[in-house]
Amino acid sequence: MNSGAEQKYAYTWPEALHHLKDRVIRALKQPQGRGNRAWNRLEVQVDGRDIMAWLQGQTLRPRMYWRQRDGFYECAALGCLAMMTDEGACSLPDVLSRIRSQLKHSARGIKFWGGCAFDPQNLDDEWRGLGAFRFVLPRLELYREGQSYFLACHFSCGADRVEDTAEFFDHIKDPCPASGQGRPCLTGSRTEKHVPDFLGWRKNVNDIRMLIRQKQVEKVVLARKTSFTAFDDRDVFDWLNAVEANHVLNRHYLFAFQWGEAEAFMGASPECLFSRNGRNVHCEALAGTSPRGETGQQDRDFHLKLRQSCKDLQEHRYVVEMIEKTLGPCCHVLNSGKQPEVLSLKTGFHLLTLFAGQLNEGITDQDLLSRLHPTPAVAGTPTQTALKLIRELEPFSRGWYAGPYGYLGAEQTEFCVAIRAGLWTMNRFSLFAGAGIVRDSDPVSEWEEVNYKLTSYLERQPAEAGGRPG
């Protein structure tokens, strides 16, 4: 339990909300009791509930959702006490430095939620609402650690008005009971458009392969944008619920960031960029992909084929070498697996190498972000050459797709790589996925790889969902 907890049992929801509101207002009326903290935090333990359903029922914005990959930590965040963006020509290093300074002088447990664009030099109007980066300190969090649930409120003594805080609490809706009937699927949806289509995809893959043969680049990750239209009134959490309904996710981050009424970013990513707990840091190389089989024998065949695939092992090696080169100087201890293991997910297999290190003094989250993003798993190698080719060849802006998304805290920080992700605007959903192109890549195989990376969002089969190349 984080700072500000006091009771030894879980309150019912009305009790918890009333008790927390009363404690926060009393603290605001006596600011001297909180010292010189930038931000304060109070929380109470509450009885268990469906966290995503609670967040979906709220009318306040922004709304943020995060479920950790191992499922132990889940958080719904609501409202905005402070926001850091690229508006006013603010740079990301400056903003991260400000956040670090504020966290240093704030209560324990406070986190800024948000993320960054994959390539800030390539943003179009579709991503204008999010910008190059955006981090939010929410007013309220409902979160779960294991089987324990907590309700937490953030506030600033001397800055927050009692009247505004009371009004905020009055807008909090009661939790919706879990239906127990499963999540809605994406029925009533149709594939609208693939950008690029297969002909454009095949040309881009072949162009990259030619540049690889000419030794101008070693690997480039190409992405595809697939747009869907829903015929009924769904919001971003209906889409997120559908991911859970279609596939019981294992080892996936599940996240959503809705900053206005009509726009939200969401995804289900298997990939960790880095997690930091104190001075301990963990990250991973996740590159090299294979589908699952329809039978146990096919599964074993695909598993073995991935382990022996020169193409996939080469693709994976680029990411391992990059992490060793960039993270190594940040750590006085850095350990990793000698050989990649095969990670088994519901939708496919991936080659995986884990890294664990102890950070040198003075290394910040800003240092880790700038060194690790973008990895060759989402950009390519050499990085700047790959980024230049992505800008030239992809007929759309990736926006926040494949960028870092997560939270910044004084004690802990964690970012996933926002792959298998999409941008929701009212009843339209633009979904993004990619594939690493190396010398031995085949355009048809890479197209099909993108298809089955999208199956978590669809009730259809991969070939049916993505169209058969021809």
Side-chain angles (χ1 to χ4, degrees):
M1 189 182 299
N2 288 321
S3 63
E6 61 178 25
Q7 91 280 7
K8 301 298 184 182
Y9 66 94
Y11 287 116
T12 64
W13 179 260
E15 291 175 334
L17 199 63
H18 174 78
H19 186 66
L20 186 61
K21 175 183 176 181
D22 182 62
R23 290 178 62 197
V24 171
I25 288 177
R26 280 191 281 116
L28 288 174
K29 289 180 177 179
Q30 298 177 344
Q32 67 275 9
R34 289 284 155 183
N36 295 319
R37 288 176 176 172
W39 307 109
N40 297 286
R41 176 183 175 96
L42 289 173
E43 66 177 46
V44 295
Q45 190 168 355
V46 66
D47 55 8
R49 60 202 59 258
D50 187 325
I51 288 180
M52 191 190 299
W54 173 81
L55 188 61
Q56 187 170 12
Q58 304 305 315
T59 58
L60 295 171
R61 301 292 185 271
R63 300 188 295 181
M64 291 153 283
Y65 176 83
W66 172 271
R67 191 173 72 194
Q68 201 171 38
R69 195 168 50 179
D70 61 8
F72 179 81
Y73 176 68
E74 180 185 17
C75 182
L78 185 66
C80 177
L81 191 59
M83 183 179 297
M84 309 285 190
T85 73
D86 60 342
E87 297 175 2
C90 292
S91 69
L92 180 58
D94 288 343
V95 163
L96 294 178
S97 178
R98 287 170 56 194
I99 291 175
R100 185 173 72 253
S101 177
Q102 291 190 12
L103 289 172
K104 183 178 179 180
H105 297 95
S106 297
R108 288 179 58 84
I110 287 180
K111 301 178 179 70
F112 278 78
W113 295 90
C116 314
F118 168 77
D119 180 5
Q121 298 183 32
N122 186 22
L123 289 175
D124 59 18
D125 289 344
E126 185 177 35
W127 296 93
R128 182 177 297 171
L130 270 178
F133 57 85
R134 184 176 296 263
F135 291 94
V136 172
L137 172 60
R139 281 188 173 270
L140 197 72
E141 291 179 352
L142 175 61
Y143 74 95
R144 172 181 59 81
E145 289 182 342
Q147 300 301 314
S148 299
Y149 294 75
F150 303 91
L151 185 66
C153 182
H154 303 135
F155 58 97
S156 174
C157 294
D160 286 357
R161 299 196 317 153
V162 171
E163 296 82 0
D164 294 338
T165 300
E167 183 180 3
F168 173 81
F169 273 94
D170 291 342
H171 281 89
I172 304 301
K173 305 295 183 182
D174 290 338
C176 299
S179 66
Q181 299 176 357
R183 304 296 194 182
C185 295
L186 299 186
T187 53
S189 300
R190 62 181 174 87
T191 300
E192 181 178 83
K193 189 177 183 181
H194 301 296
V195 180
D197 60 14
F198 178 71
L199 293 179
W201 175 268
R202 182 173 62 187
K203 180 182 183 303
N204 287 349
V205 172
N206 288 332
D207 286 349
I208 294 298
R209 292 177 64 196
M210 180 182 67
L211 293 172
I212 291 173
R213 288 194 296 269
Q214 295 172 354
K215 300 188 183 304
Q216 296 187 39
V217 68
E218 296 176 84
K219 172 189 173 181
V220 177
V221 179
L222 292 178
R224 190 182 79 199
K225 174 183 174 182
T226 301
S227 298
F228 302 89
T229 301
F231 298 120
D232 54 8
D233 295 327
R234 299 177 187 269
D235 76 0
V236 63
F237 292 99
D238 290 319
W239 294 93
L240 203 62
N241 288 337
V243 178
E244 283 193 319
N246 292 333
H247 296 279
V248 180
L249 293 174
N250 63 334
R251 206 183 178 278
H252 280 71
Y253 295 97
L254 201 62
F255 60 89
F257 184 8
Q258 184 176 14
W259 62 96
E261 281 300 319
E263 295 175 304
F265 179 65
M266 58 154 286
S269 172
E271 186 170 358
C272 174
L273 182 65
F274 76 89
S275 65
R276 177 190 59 78
N277 188 339
R279 305 308 298 169
N280 297 317
V281 64
H282 296 265
C283 69
E284 64 191 29
L286 188 73
T289 305
S290 168
R292 297 296 299 256
E294 296 182 1
T295 66
Q297 185 58 53
Q298 287 180 344
D299 249 6
R300 288 187 289 272
D301 291 343
F302 279 127
H303 189 285
L304 180 61
K305 183 178 178 181
L306 181 61
R307 278 191 176 277
Q308 298 175 344
S309 168
C310 293
K311 178 260 182 188
D312 289 289
L313 288 169
Q314 179 187 28
E315 184 181 341
H316 185 81
R317 186 169 62 252
Y318 289 137
V319 186
V320 170
E321 291 173 350
M322 175 267 190
I323 293 175
E324 291 174 340
K325 180 179 179 180
T326 58
L327 190 59
C330 296
C331 301
H332 57 272
V333 175
L334 181 63
N335 298 313
S336 66
K338 299 297 183 183
Q339 296 293 331
E341 58 186 87
V342 175
L343 171 67
S344 299
L345 301 177
K346 297 291 184 182
T347 54
F349 297 114
H350 297 284
L351 293 176
L352 170 70
T353 298
L354 298 174
F355 292 81
Q358 295 180 347
L359 295 172
N360 296 327
E361 289 298 324
I363 296 297
T364 65
D365 295 330
Q366 175 188 333
D367 296 323
L368 296 174
L369 271 176
S370 63
R371 286 172 175 267
L372 291 172
H373 174 75
T375 73
V378 291
T381 186
T383 302
Q384 293 306 314
T385 304
L387 287 174
K388 181 175 181 294
L389 289 168
I390 289 170
R391 294 174 194 136
E392 294 173 355
L393 295 175
E394 290 184 354
F396 58 87
S397 169
R398 292 189 180 188
W400 280 32
Y401 161 71
Y405 183 85
Y407 63 85
L408 292 155
E411 302 85 23
Q412 294 178 305
T413 290
E414 186 164 13
F415 282 93
C416 71
V417 182
I419 55 176
R420 323 286 168 87
L423 179 67
W424 173 85
T425 55
M426 293 302 290
N427 64 347
R428 180 183 299 274
F429 187 39
S430 296
L431 189 60
F432 301 82
I437 310 304
V438 294
R439 179 187 294 270
D440 297 329
S441 291
D442 171 66
V444 174
S445 297
E446 303 294 356
W447 179 270
E448 292 175 347
E449 178 179 321
V450 172
N451 287 344
Y452 62 74
K453 284 178 177 178
L454 304 184
T455 55
S456 292
Y457 293 88
L458 308 168
E459 58 264 11
R460 292 160 285 183
Q461 295 300 310
E464 184 183 348
R468 295 185 180 276

